[in-house]
Amino acid sequence: MSIGIKSLVTGVLLVLAGGGALWFALGGLPRGDDNPWLSGAEGYDKAQQLALGEGIPLLYVIEHAKCRRCKTLDTLLWRSPELQSSLAGLAKVRLNPDAGDGSAHILRRFPRVGTPPGIYLQRPGEPLRPIRIEVEDQQIWMPGVTYGRGFFMPLSAAGFDAVVRVTLALEDASIDNAPLP
């Protein structure tokens, strides 16, 4: 039985293509362990390094241990399987001023949160951009042309992802000077 050169080359190329596809599929998918939630002052520092190194935005969640809304939001949104791919593209930090992990010191750099949870996005070196969520009503604020001119929409993984993209696209959320379409 003789094997032709063309058959041999085709077989080798198919094996290489299959191996490459398998490597891409298994190696290219982000695992939850690769980008976990960080917490406290140490987590804040790690997230800053991760954001600078990877070029990804930061997500800060300011919460308290006995906060009912914080626990509800954790269950509804942060642990949602649908949201994990969106969260994988963010350096995530939880800050709790009551935890004794240095969060209180870090939170001096943040606006005061009257009713937790407080949620902020930030590109490295840029100002904090708020994300407003009404946990009881399960609604999230979608900025319009400016941050102040928007609307509430149902809280979901797709809604959160859209709000993140729009909020990061605003030039400066604090003074509402987003470019007009």
Side-chain angles (χ1 to χ4, degrees), residues 4 19 24 26 32-34 41 43 48-49 60 66 75 81 90-91 115-116 120 130 134 144-145 149 170 177:
F24 179 76
L26 296 177
D33 298 340
D34 292 342
Q48 293 291 323
Q49 292 171 359
Y60 302 106
K66 295 184 179 183
T75 304
L90 300 168
T115 305
Y120 295 94
E134 297 293 332
V145 175
R149 295 182 184 170
L170 294 175
N177 68 347

Side-chain angles (χ1 to χ4, degrees), residues 15-164:
V15 168
L16 288 174
L22 183 64
W23 174 81
F24 179 76
L26 296 177
L29 295 175
R31 294 186 334 237
D33 298 340
D34 292 342
N35 186 7
W37 280 92
L38 304 168
S39 61
E42 185 178 320
Y44 175 84
D45 292 337
K46 285 181 184 177
Q48 293 291 323
Q49 292 171 359
L50 176 66
L52 287 171
E54 301 280 328
I56 59 176
L58 294 134
L59 173 69
Y60 302 106
V61 177
I62 301 166
E63 55 193 3
H64 293 275
K66 295 184 179 183
C67 171
R68 178 183 45 81
R69 287 180 303 280
C70 301
K71 291 176 184 174
T72 302
L73 187 62
D74 183 55
T75 304
L76 280 176
L77 196 62
W78 308 136
R79 294 183 189 263
S80 167
E82 296 85 25
L83 189 63
Q84 297 314 306
S85 63
S86 297
L87 290 175
L90 300 168
K92 306 171 295 292
V93 183
R94 287 187 157 163
L95 299 169
N96 181 345
D98 305 323
D101 59 2
S103 291
H105 178 71
I106 298 297
L107 286 173
R108 292 180 189 157
R109 304 173 192 167
F110 285 77
R112 186 180 181 287
V113 175
T115 305
I119 304 163
Y120 295 94
L121 281 172
Q122 182 183 40
R123 288 190 196 275
E126 292 185 8
L128 292 170
R129 298 164 186 263
I131 292 183
R132 189 170 152 201
I133 295 178
E134 297 293 332
V135 178
E136 288 88 6
D137 298 332
Q138 295 186 13
Q139 303 239 328
I140 188 167
W141 180 256
M142 171 61 88
V145 175
T146 65
Y147 186 79
R149 295 182 184 170
F151 56 91
F152 277 104
M153 59 189 247
L155 180 61
S156 66
F160 179 81
D161 191 43
V163 168
V164 166

